[in-house]
Amino acid sequence: MRKIEMVDLKSQYQHIKPQINSAIQEVIDSAAFVKGQKVTDFQDHLAQYLGVKHVICCGNGTDALQIALMALGLKPGDEVITPTFTFIATAEVVALLGLTPVVVDVSEQTMNMDIDSLRKSITPKTKAIVPVHLFGQCANMQQIMDIAKQHNLFVVEDACQAIGATYTFSNGTQKKAGCIGNIGCTSFFPSKNLGCYGDGGALFTDDDQLADKIKAIANHGMVIRYHHDMVGVNSRLDTLQAAILDVKLPHLDQYIKARQQAAQYYDNAFANNPHIIIPARDPQSTHVFHQYTLRIVDYDRDTLRQQLADKQIPAMVYYPVPLHQQKAYQDPRYHTGDFPQAERLAQTVLSLPMHTELDQQQLEYITQTINQILQ
Ligand SMILES: *Cc1c(COP(=O)(O)O)cnc(C)c1O
Protein backbone atom coordinates (compact mmCIF):
# COMPACT_ATOMS: atom_id res chain seq x y z
CA MET A 1 0.00 0.00 0.00
CA ARG A 2 1.22 3.50 -0.81
CA LYS A 3 2.02 5.66 2.20
CA ILE A 4 -1.10 7.52 3.33
CA GLU A 5 -0.77 11.31 3.27
CA MET A 6 -3.19 14.02 4.37
CA VAL A 7 -2.65 15.50 0.91
CA ASP A 8 -0.78 13.64 -1.83
CA LEU A 9 0.54 16.27 -4.23
CA LYS A 10 3.38 14.08 -5.52
CA SER A 11 1.06 11.45 -7.02
CA GLN A 12 -1.23 14.13 -8.46
CA TYR A 13 1.73 15.74 -10.23
CA GLN A 14 2.75 12.42 -11.81
CA HIS A 15 -0.49 12.36 -13.84
CA ILE A 16 0.07 15.80 -15.38
CA LYS A 17 3.87 15.94 -15.33
CA PRO A 18 4.56 16.51 -19.07
CA GLN A 19 1.99 19.35 -19.35
CA ILE A 20 3.16 21.01 -16.14
CA ASN A 21 6.82 20.76 -17.08
CA SER A 22 6.32 22.22 -20.52
CA ALA A 23 4.12 25.04 -19.16
CA ILE A 24 6.89 25.92 -16.69
CA GLN A 25 9.55 25.71 -19.39
CA GLU A 26 7.56 28.04 -21.65
CA VAL A 27 7.43 30.71 -18.97
CA ILE A 28 11.15 30.41 -18.30
CA ASP A 29 11.88 30.67 -22.03
CA SER A 30 9.69 33.78 -22.29
CA ALA A 31 11.27 35.32 -19.15
CA ALA A 32 7.93 37.04 -18.50
CA PHE A 33 7.98 36.11 -14.83
CA VAL A 34 5.73 38.91 -13.65
CA LYS A 35 2.47 39.91 -15.36
CA GLY A 36 3.05 37.47 -18.21
CA GLN A 37 0.34 36.50 -20.68
CA LYS A 38 -0.39 33.31 -18.73
CA VAL A 39 -1.75 35.33 -15.83
CA THR A 40 -4.34 36.98 -18.07
CA ASP A 41 -5.12 33.66 -19.77
CA PHE A 42 -5.67 31.90 -16.48
CA GLN A 43 -7.84 34.75 -15.13
CA ASP A 44 -10.02 34.51 -18.24
CA HIS A 45 -10.31 30.73 -18.03
CA LEU A 46 -11.17 30.80 -14.34
CA ALA A 47 -13.76 33.56 -14.86
CA GLN A 48 -15.34 31.40 -17.55
CA TYR A 49 -15.35 28.33 -15.31
CA LEU A 50 -16.91 30.25 -12.42
CA GLY A 51 -19.36 32.28 -14.47
CA VAL A 52 -18.14 35.54 -12.95
CA LYS A 53 -17.23 38.75 -14.75
CA HIS A 54 -13.84 39.46 -13.19
CA VAL A 55 -11.09 37.29 -11.72
CA ILE A 56 -8.10 39.25 -10.39
CA CYS A 57 -5.17 37.17 -9.20
CA CYS A 58 -2.96 38.15 -6.29
CA GLY A 59 -0.22 36.79 -4.06
CA ASN A 60 -2.24 34.53 -1.74
CA GLY A 61 -5.64 34.05 -0.16
CA THR A 62 -4.89 36.24 2.83
CA ASP A 63 -3.96 39.12 0.51
CA ALA A 64 -7.18 38.53 -1.42
CA LEU A 65 -9.21 39.01 1.76
CA GLN A 66 -7.24 42.11 2.71
CA ILE A 67 -7.53 43.67 -0.75
CA ALA A 68 -11.27 42.94 -0.76
CA LEU A 69 -11.82 44.82 2.50
CA MET A 70 -9.62 47.70 1.27
CA ALA A 71 -11.58 47.90 -2.00
CA LEU A 72 -14.83 48.28 -0.08
CA GLY A 73 -13.45 51.44 1.52
CA LEU A 74 -14.05 50.32 5.09
CA LYS A 75 -12.83 52.68 7.82
CA PRO A 76 -11.24 51.99 11.22
CA GLY A 77 -13.97 51.17 13.70
CA ASP A 78 -16.24 49.59 11.10
CA GLU A 79 -17.38 46.17 12.25
CA VAL A 80 -16.79 43.09 10.13
CA ILE A 81 -18.50 39.85 11.07
CA THR A 82 -16.63 36.54 10.71
CA PRO A 83 -17.26 33.06 12.12
CA THR A 84 -15.14 32.16 15.15
CA PHE A 85 -14.44 28.68 13.77
CA THR A 86 -12.13 29.28 10.80
CA PHE A 87 -8.53 29.68 9.71
CA ILE A 88 -6.99 32.76 11.32
CA ALA A 89 -6.51 34.68 8.04
CA THR A 90 -10.21 35.58 7.90
CA ALA A 91 -9.99 37.71 11.04
CA GLU A 92 -6.32 38.66 10.72
CA VAL A 93 -6.87 41.02 7.81
CA VAL A 94 -9.80 42.67 9.58
CA ALA A 95 -7.57 43.40 12.57
CA LEU A 96 -4.62 44.50 10.38
CA LEU A 97 -6.76 47.13 8.66
CA GLY A 98 -7.89 48.57 12.00
CA LEU A 99 -11.42 47.31 11.46
CA THR A 100 -13.24 45.66 14.32
CA PRO A 101 -13.67 41.89 14.00
CA VAL A 102 -16.99 40.71 15.38
CA VAL A 103 -17.07 36.95 15.74
CA VAL A 104 -20.14 34.76 15.58
CA ASP A 105 -20.82 31.11 16.32
CA VAL A 106 -21.11 28.37 13.72
CA SER A 107 -23.67 25.62 13.27
CA GLU A 108 -22.40 22.47 14.94
CA GLN A 109 -23.82 20.49 12.00
CA THR A 110 -22.56 22.33 8.89
CA MET A 111 -19.70 24.04 10.79
CA ASN A 112 -20.55 27.23 8.86
CA MET A 113 -21.77 30.60 10.16
CA ASP A 114 -24.76 30.27 12.48
CA ILE A 115 -27.55 32.51 11.24
CA ASP A 116 -29.11 33.33 14.63
CA SER A 117 -25.71 34.28 15.97
CA LEU A 118 -25.13 36.45 12.87
CA ARG A 119 -28.47 38.26 13.29
CA LYS A 120 -27.76 39.02 16.95
CA SER A 121 -24.33 40.47 16.25
CA ILE A 122 -25.39 43.18 13.79
CA THR A 123 -25.03 46.73 15.14
CA PRO A 124 -25.22 50.19 13.52
CA LYS A 125 -21.42 49.91 13.02
CA THR A 126 -21.60 46.66 11.04
CA LYS A 127 -20.37 47.17 7.48
CA ALA A 128 -19.54 43.72 6.15
CA ILE A 129 -20.05 40.00 6.64
CA VAL A 130 -17.25 37.57 5.76
CA PRO A 131 -18.77 34.10 5.57
CA VAL A 132 -16.31 31.23 5.24
CA HIS A 133 -17.27 28.21 3.13
CA LEU A 134 -15.54 25.93 5.57
CA PHE A 135 -14.08 22.61 4.43
CA GLY A 136 -15.57 23.00 0.94
CA GLN A 137 -19.27 23.58 1.54
CA CYS A 138 -20.97 26.95 1.11
CA ALA A 139 -22.25 28.83 4.14
CA ASN A 140 -26.00 29.55 4.26
CA MET A 141 -25.75 32.19 1.52
CA GLN A 142 -29.51 32.36 1.03
CA GLN A 143 -29.98 33.83 4.51
CA ILE A 144 -26.67 35.69 4.61
CA MET A 145 -27.50 37.57 1.40
CA ASP A 146 -31.02 38.36 2.70
CA ILE A 147 -29.61 39.72 5.95
CA ALA A 148 -26.94 41.72 4.09
CA LYS A 149 -29.57 43.27 1.84
CA GLN A 150 -31.85 44.09 4.74
CA HIS A 151 -29.05 45.86 6.66
CA ASN A 152 -27.18 47.24 3.64
CA LEU A 153 -23.98 45.28 4.34
CA PHE A 154 -21.20 44.12 2.05
CA VAL A 155 -20.51 40.39 1.73
CA VAL A 156 -16.96 39.14 1.14
CA GLU A 157 -16.90 35.37 0.74
CA ASP A 158 -13.88 33.48 2.02
CA ALA A 159 -13.98 30.75 -0.62
CA CYS A 160 -10.39 29.65 -0.02
CA GLN A 161 -11.54 26.09 0.72
CA ALA A 162 -14.49 25.88 -1.63
CA ILE A 163 -13.47 26.68 -5.20
CA GLY A 164 -15.82 24.84 -7.55
CA ALA A 165 -18.64 24.33 -5.04
CA THR A 166 -22.10 25.22 -6.40
CA TYR A 167 -24.81 26.96 -4.38
CA THR A 168 -28.48 26.71 -5.34
CA PHE A 169 -30.86 29.44 -4.16
CA SER A 170 -34.49 28.59 -3.42
CA ASN A 171 -35.56 30.22 -6.72
CA GLY A 172 -33.30 27.78 -8.58
CA THR A 173 -30.48 30.24 -9.35
CA GLN A 174 -27.10 28.54 -9.15
CA LYS A 175 -23.82 30.27 -8.40
CA LYS A 176 -20.30 29.11 -7.74
CA ALA A 177 -18.74 29.67 -4.32
CA GLY A 178 -17.11 33.10 -4.24
CA CYS A 179 -19.42 34.53 -6.92
CA ILE A 180 -22.40 35.33 -4.69
CA GLY A 181 -21.37 38.26 -2.47
CA ASN A 182 -19.81 41.58 -3.55
CA ILE A 183 -16.36 39.97 -3.67
CA GLY A 184 -15.16 36.38 -3.37
CA CYS A 185 -11.66 35.38 -2.32
CA THR A 186 -9.74 32.20 -2.92
CA SER A 187 -6.32 30.72 -2.28
CA PHE A 188 -4.14 28.60 -4.55
CA PHE A 189 -1.98 27.33 -1.67
CA PRO A 190 -0.65 23.93 -2.80
CA SER A 191 -3.00 21.85 -0.64
CA LYS A 192 -6.15 23.76 -1.63
CA ASN A 193 -8.53 22.13 -4.12
CA LEU A 194 -6.99 24.13 -6.97
CA GLY A 195 -3.44 24.52 -5.73
CA CYS A 196 -0.36 25.95 -7.40
CA TYR A 197 3.27 25.12 -6.56
CA GLY A 198 3.80 27.97 -4.14
CA ASP A 199 1.57 30.82 -3.02
CA GLY A 200 -1.28 32.31 -4.99
CA GLY A 201 -4.76 33.75 -4.61
CA ALA A 202 -7.55 35.54 -6.45
CA LEU A 203 -10.57 37.79 -6.05
CA PHE A 204 -13.85 37.37 -7.93
CA THR A 205 -16.46 40.05 -8.61
CA ASP A 206 -19.21 40.94 -11.05
CA ASP A 207 -18.87 44.64 -10.20
CA ASP A 208 -16.81 46.59 -12.80
CA GLN A 209 -15.96 49.45 -10.45
CA LEU A 210 -14.86 47.12 -7.66
CA ALA A 211 -12.78 45.16 -10.17
CA ASP A 212 -10.92 48.33 -11.21
CA LYS A 213 -10.32 49.22 -7.59
CA ILE A 214 -9.09 45.74 -6.74
CA LYS A 215 -6.65 45.76 -9.68
CA ALA A 216 -5.30 49.14 -8.58
CA ILE A 217 -4.96 48.23 -4.90
CA ALA A 218 -3.13 44.99 -5.72
CA ASN A 219 -0.72 47.09 -7.79
CA HIS A 220 0.39 49.80 -5.31
CA GLY A 221 -2.82 51.79 -5.78
CA MET A 222 -1.64 52.64 -9.26
CA VAL A 223 -3.96 53.32 -12.20
CA ILE A 224 -1.61 55.29 -14.47
CA ARG A 225 2.02 54.23 -14.13
CA TYR A 226 3.69 55.93 -11.13
CA HIS A 227 0.51 57.84 -10.30
CA HIS A 228 -0.93 56.44 -7.07
CA ASP A 229 -4.59 57.19 -6.44
CA MET A 230 -4.94 55.20 -3.23
CA VAL A 231 -2.81 53.30 -0.75
CA GLY A 232 -2.25 49.84 -2.16
CA VAL A 233 -0.16 46.75 -1.72
CA ASN A 234 2.10 44.68 -3.93
CA SER A 235 0.35 41.39 -4.46
CA ARG A 236 0.45 39.39 -7.67
CA LEU A 237 0.42 35.84 -8.96
CA ASP A 238 3.73 34.78 -10.57
CA THR A 239 3.44 33.83 -14.24
CA LEU A 240 4.91 30.42 -13.35
CA GLN A 241 2.08 29.78 -10.89
CA ALA A 242 -0.52 30.99 -13.39
CA ALA A 243 0.88 28.59 -16.00
CA ILE A 244 0.66 25.70 -13.52
CA LEU A 245 -2.89 26.65 -12.53
CA ASP A 246 -3.93 26.92 -16.17
CA VAL A 247 -2.86 23.28 -16.65
CA LYS A 248 -4.70 22.18 -13.50
CA LEU A 249 -7.97 24.11 -13.98
CA PRO A 250 -9.37 21.75 -16.66
CA HIS A 251 -8.91 18.91 -14.13
CA LEU A 252 -10.70 20.69 -11.28
CA ASP A 253 -14.10 19.05 -11.76
CA GLN A 254 -12.50 15.63 -11.94
CA TYR A 255 -10.44 16.42 -8.81
CA ILE A 256 -13.65 17.42 -7.02
CA LYS A 257 -15.30 14.18 -8.11
CA ALA A 258 -12.39 12.14 -6.76
CA ARG A 259 -12.72 13.92 -3.40
CA GLN A 260 -16.49 13.38 -3.36
CA GLN A 261 -16.03 9.67 -4.08
CA ALA A 262 -13.56 9.31 -1.22
CA ALA A 263 -16.03 11.19 1.02
CA GLN A 264 -18.82 8.82 -0.02
CA TYR A 265 -16.62 5.85 0.87
CA TYR A 266 -15.95 7.33 4.32
CA ASP A 267 -19.65 8.14 4.80
CA ASN A 268 -20.73 4.59 4.04
CA ALA A 269 -18.02 3.02 6.21
CA PHE A 270 -18.86 5.17 9.26
CA ALA A 271 -22.65 5.34 8.84
CA ASN A 272 -23.34 2.95 11.73
CA ASN A 273 -20.50 3.87 14.05
CA PRO A 274 -22.02 5.43 17.20
CA HIS A 275 -18.79 7.33 17.95
CA ILE A 276 -18.72 9.13 14.62
CA ILE A 277 -20.84 11.91 13.14
CA ILE A 278 -20.13 12.20 9.43
CA PRO A 279 -20.04 15.69 7.83
CA ALA A 280 -23.53 17.18 7.47
CA ARG A 281 -24.51 18.29 3.98
CA ASP A 282 -26.31 21.55 3.33
CA PRO A 283 -28.96 20.69 0.72
CA GLN A 284 -28.35 24.04 -1.04
CA SER A 285 -24.62 23.53 -1.56
CA THR A 286 -22.46 20.91 -3.16
CA HIS A 287 -19.51 19.88 -0.99
CA VAL A 288 -16.07 19.85 -2.63
CA PHE A 289 -14.37 18.33 0.42
CA HIS A 290 -11.31 20.42 0.93
CA GLN A 291 -11.44 18.50 4.20
CA TYR A 292 -13.45 15.50 5.29
CA THR A 293 -14.13 16.35 8.91
CA LEU A 294 -15.73 14.01 11.43
CA ARG A 295 -17.08 14.77 14.86
CA ILE A 296 -15.99 12.22 17.45
CA VAL A 297 -18.53 11.33 20.14
CA ASP A 298 -17.87 9.67 23.53
CA TYR A 299 -14.22 9.02 22.78
CA ASP A 300 -11.20 11.26 23.23
CA ARG A 301 -10.41 12.81 19.86
CA ASP A 302 -6.71 13.35 20.62
CA THR A 303 -6.29 9.76 21.80
CA LEU A 304 -7.83 8.56 18.54
CA ARG A 305 -5.53 10.80 16.55
CA GLN A 306 -2.48 9.30 18.31
CA GLN A 307 -3.76 5.75 17.79
CA LEU A 308 -4.15 6.48 14.08
CA ALA A 309 -0.66 8.00 13.89
CA ASP A 310 0.69 4.77 15.40
CA LYS A 311 -0.89 2.95 12.45
CA GLN A 312 0.56 5.37 9.88
CA ILE A 313 -2.74 7.14 9.32
CA PRO A 314 -2.37 10.92 9.48
CA ALA A 315 -5.31 12.96 10.77
CA MET A 316 -5.48 16.67 11.59
CA VAL A 317 -7.45 18.97 13.84
CA TYR A 318 -8.83 21.91 11.88
CA TYR A 319 -9.18 23.97 14.07
CA PRO A 320 -8.25 23.34 17.71
CA VAL A 321 -8.80 26.92 18.97
CA PRO A 322 -11.65 29.23 17.86
CA LEU A 323 -10.75 32.87 17.12
CA HIS A 324 -12.22 34.24 20.35
CA GLN A 325 -9.92 31.96 22.36
CA GLN A 326 -6.74 32.84 20.43
CA LYS A 327 -4.16 34.79 22.39
CA ALA A 328 -3.66 37.44 19.69
CA TYR A 329 -7.41 38.07 19.45
CA GLN A 330 -8.29 38.27 23.11
CA ASP A 331 -11.03 40.78 23.56
CA PRO A 332 -12.94 41.80 26.68
CA ARG A 333 -16.17 41.42 24.70
CA TYR A 334 -15.72 37.65 24.40
CA HIS A 335 -15.41 34.82 26.89
CA THR A 336 -15.10 31.08 26.84
CA GLY A 337 -18.64 29.74 26.64
CA ASP A 338 -19.91 32.54 24.38
CA PHE A 339 -19.80 30.39 21.24
CA PRO A 340 -20.63 26.91 22.47
CA GLN A 341 -21.03 25.23 19.10
CA ALA A 342 -17.62 26.34 17.86
CA GLU A 343 -16.03 25.43 21.19
CA ARG A 344 -17.48 21.92 21.06
CA LEU A 345 -16.30 21.51 17.46
CA ALA A 346 -12.78 22.57 18.42
CA GLN A 347 -12.78 19.71 20.95
CA THR A 348 -14.30 17.02 18.75
CA VAL A 349 -13.44 17.52 15.06
CA LEU A 350 -10.97 15.32 13.23
CA SER A 351 -10.09 15.63 9.54
CA LEU A 352 -9.11 12.46 7.69
CA PRO A 353 -6.78 12.15 4.70
CA MET A 354 -8.53 13.80 1.74
CA HIS A 355 -7.07 14.33 -1.70
CA THR A 356 -7.47 13.30 -5.32
CA GLU A 357 -5.27 10.20 -5.17
CA LEU A 358 -6.79 8.10 -2.35
CA ASP A 359 -7.22 4.52 -3.57
CA GLN A 360 -9.54 1.72 -2.50
CA GLN A 361 -6.85 -0.05 -0.47
CA GLN A 362 -5.98 3.09 1.48
CA LEU A 363 -9.63 3.95 2.13
CA GLU A 364 -10.30 0.40 3.32
CA TYR A 365 -7.32 0.49 5.66
CA ILE A 366 -8.24 3.90 7.10
CA THR A 367 -11.91 3.09 7.68
CA GLN A 368 -11.34 -0.43 9.03
CA THR A 369 -8.69 0.84 11.44
CA ILE A 370 -10.97 3.60 12.71
CA ASN A 371 -13.95 1.26 13.08
CA GLN A 372 -11.78 -1.20 15.01
CA ILE A 373 -10.63 1.49 17.45
CA LEU A 374 -14.06 3.08 17.85
CA GLN A 375 -16.15 -0.02 18.61
C1 LIG B 1 -6.03 28.90 3.13
C2 LIG B 1 -7.02 29.82 3.71
C3 LIG B 1 -6.82 31.21 3.74
C4 LIG B 1 -5.53 31.87 3.36
O1 LIG B 1 -4.98 31.52 2.16
P1 LIG B 1 -3.38 31.71 1.94
O2 LIG B 1 -3.24 31.55 0.47
O3 LIG B 1 -2.70 30.66 2.72
O4 LIG B 1 -3.03 33.09 2.39
C5 LIG B 1 -7.84 32.01 4.22
N1 LIG B 1 -9.00 31.49 4.66
C6 LIG B 1 -9.22 30.17 4.67
C7 LIG B 1 -10.52 29.66 5.16
C8 LIG B 1 -8.24 29.29 4.20
O5 LIG B 1 -8.48 27.98 4.25
Side-chain angles (χ1 to χ4, degrees):
M1 188 172 61
R2 273 187 305 131
K3 182 166 180 274
I4 298 171
E5 314 263 10
M6 273 309 280
V7 183
D8 186 352
L9 295 173
K10 286 184 196 162
S11 304
Q12 192 190 60
Y13 167 62
Q14 289 308 318
H15 297 297
I16 48 174
K17 187 170 176 173
Q19 298 96 298
I20 291 278
N21 288 9
S22 76
I24 290 173
Q25 192 60 52
E26 244 176 76
V27 176
I28 297 173
D29 289 339
S30 76
F33 297 112
V34 170
K35 293 188 191 290
Q37 183 59 36
K38 272 289 170 192
V39 180
T40 318
D41 291 350
F42 170 65
Q43 288 180 162
D44 291 347
H45 296 153
L46 184 56
Q48 214 169 350
Y49 171 86
L50 294 170
V52 73
K53 216 162 160 192
H54 305 277
V55 168
I56 302 119
C57 288
C58 66
N60 55 66
T62 309
D63 279 3
L65 289 162
Q66 178 176 337
I67 294 164
L69 296 176
M70 290 171 78
L72 295 174
L74 304 187
K75 306 263 174 338
D78 287 349
E79 292 180 355
V80 177
I81 299 176
T82 75
T84 188
F85 190 66
T86 179
F87 180 56
I88 199 73
T90 322
E92 189 174 53
V93 296
V94 177
L96 271 175
L97 292 173
L99 309 171
T100 305
V102 171
V103 298
V104 300
D105 210 352
V106 294
S107 146
E108 201 169 353
Q109 281 73 43
T110 62
M111 310 189 199
N112 277 323
M113 197 176 255
D114 180 271
I115 298 302
D116 286 337
S117 188
L118 167 61
R119 278 213 182 87
K120 283 189 203 129
S121 65
I122 293 171
T123 76
K125 288 185 179 166
T126 309
K127 289 285 152 39
I129 309 171
V130 184
V132 180
H133 305 316
L134 201 70
F135 302 144
Q137 177 167 250
C138 292
N140 187 340
M141 293 308 289
Q142 179 97 39
Q143 302 235 40
I144 291 169
M145 293 310 289
D146 282 351
I147 291 168
K149 202 165 176 189
Q150 192 185 338
H151 295 271
N152 202 20
L153 307 175
F154 295 116
V155 175
V156 173
E157 298 172 70
D158 182 341
C160 288
Q161 301 187 357
I163 196 161
T166 304
Y167 193 81
T168 307
F169 286 87
S170 52
N171 67 5
T173 308
Q174 291 197 323
K175 294 209 173 185
K176 288 286 192 191
C179 308
I180 302 166
N182 301 83
I183 305 176
C185 297
T186 205
S187 164
F188 304 122
F189 185 79
S191 65
K192 298 285 157 84
N193 286 24
L194 180 62
C196 62
Y197 293 177
D199 277 306
L203 299 97
F204 317 141
T205 188
D206 278 320
D207 182 320
D208 297 339
Q209 272 180 320
L210 271 178
D212 286 343
K213 219 162 162 201
I214 289 165
K215 280 178 217 165
I217 290 169
N219 187 26
H220 301 289
M222 186 161 86
V223 179
I224 300 166
R225 191 168 262 209
Y226 305 125
H227 293 68
H228 304 274
D229 297 358
M230 58 202 102
V231 175
V233 296
N234 173 23
S235 185
R236 47 199 176 211
L237 184 72
D238 290 346
T239 315
L240 279 170
Q241 301 301 347
I244 290 162
L245 288 165
D246 211 36
V247 171
K248 290 184 76 176
L249 178 60
H251 299 276
L252 179 58
D253 281 339
Q254 175 209 321
Y255 289 161
I256 290 171
K257 208 183 247 176
R259 289 172 178 272
Q260 288 168 336
Q261 278 167 357
Q264 191 61 53
Y265 190 101
Y266 283 143
D267 277 355
N268 294 342
F270 299 136
N272 299 317
N273 191 315
H275 292 284
I276 294 176
I277 303 175
I278 60 173
R281 311 299 205 276
D282 182 327
Q284 285 180 272
S285 178
T286 62
H287 200 321
V288 296
F289 290 100
H290 175 58
Q291 299 296 342
Y292 183 88
T293 304
L294 301 174
R295 287 187 282 151
I296 305 301
V297 185
D298 296 330
Y299 196 89
D300 183 63
R301 184 263 323 267
D302 296 320
T303 306
L304 171 63
R305 185 173 175 226
Q306 187 53 54
Q307 288 171 308
L308 292 174
D310 294 342
K311 304 225 174 229
Q312 283 70 53
I313 298 172
M316 297 288 282
V317 176
Y318 305 116
Y319 295 94
V321 184
L323 288 180
H324 69 281
Q325 295 178 313
Q326 295 284 358
K327 205 163 154 191
Y329 292 84
Q330 283 197 355
D331 188 310
R333 289 172 301 164
Y334 302 125
H335 308 92
T336 294
D338 286 352
F339 306 103
Q341 301 188 86
E343 289 171 25
R344 276 197 298 273
L345 286 173
Q347 301 289 324
T348 57
V349 287
L350 191 67
S351 296
L352 299 185
M354 175 50 77
H355 52 78
T356 58
E357 313 300 319
L358 281 165
D359 63 33
Q360 193 77 10
Q361 201 185 8
Q362 293 174 317
L363 288 166
E364 237 172 67
Y365 177 72
I366 296 166
T367 52
Q368 283 174 5
T369 307
I370 292 174
N371 281 331
Q372 267 161 21
I373 298 170
L374 297 180
Q375 301 241 0

